[in-house]
Amino acid sequence: MTARSTWATTAVRPDHPDALLLLREYMTEMVVRYHRRPALPGEVDAALAELPSDDLTAPSGLLLLAHLGDDLAGCAGLRWQPGWAELTRVFIRPGQRGAGGGAALLAAVEERTRAAGADRIRLDTRHDLVEARALYARHGYAEIPAYSRGPYAEHWFEKLLP
């Protein structure tokens, strides 16, 4: 990776090999952080089954992969709702964190959301994901009352798109 490397995003199906790899890395981090210990055998597979990503494809959603230069670096998904989109699976690999990937992914999902005719993005996240919550706040996402119910939803955010 050179200093001139730039972020690029591409929409792929959730069963694309790179998507499967990143979604597993994402879920592994979610399991480890939630339990505050290494993942147990089968635990990541169980979490992937409990919270599948197969709907992150047309017509119900989309999945973006992010590359920093030639390096596979992250992902973000959208689920379409009437008039709005739900953001999910935002992940940047540890080696590429701090290089603007979160901002690049948010810009890309916001552009895709506007293009789809939706006027807002909502998301829920956990209390322990403080870096994610800070990222959303820095990019104009405001905390809102709960709009969803889930075992891991503890904070809810929304951004109105111009």
Side-chain angles (χ1 to χ4, degrees), residues 57-131:
T57 189
S60 58
L62 70 85
L63 181 65
L64 295 178
L65 297 187
H67 286 81
L68 180 55
D70 294 332
D71 297 330
L72 180 63
C75 62
L78 289 171
R79 290 191 175 101
W80 304 120
Q81 307 295 334
W84 58 282
E86 182 175 39
L87 181 60
T88 187
R89 308 296 188 265
V90 178
F91 175 73
I92 298 292
R93 286 176 143 173
Q96 283 91 16
R97 291 181 185 162
L105 278 169
L106 290 179
V109 297
E110 290 169 14
E111 179 181 320
R112 298 284 184 131
T113 300
R114 280 193 287 287
D119 69 355
R120 70 194 64 214
I121 295 176
R122 290 179 174 173
L123 64 100
D124 63 50
T125 190
R126 296 189 333 223
H127 182 72
D128 63 310
L129 300 177
V130 293
E131 303 90 346

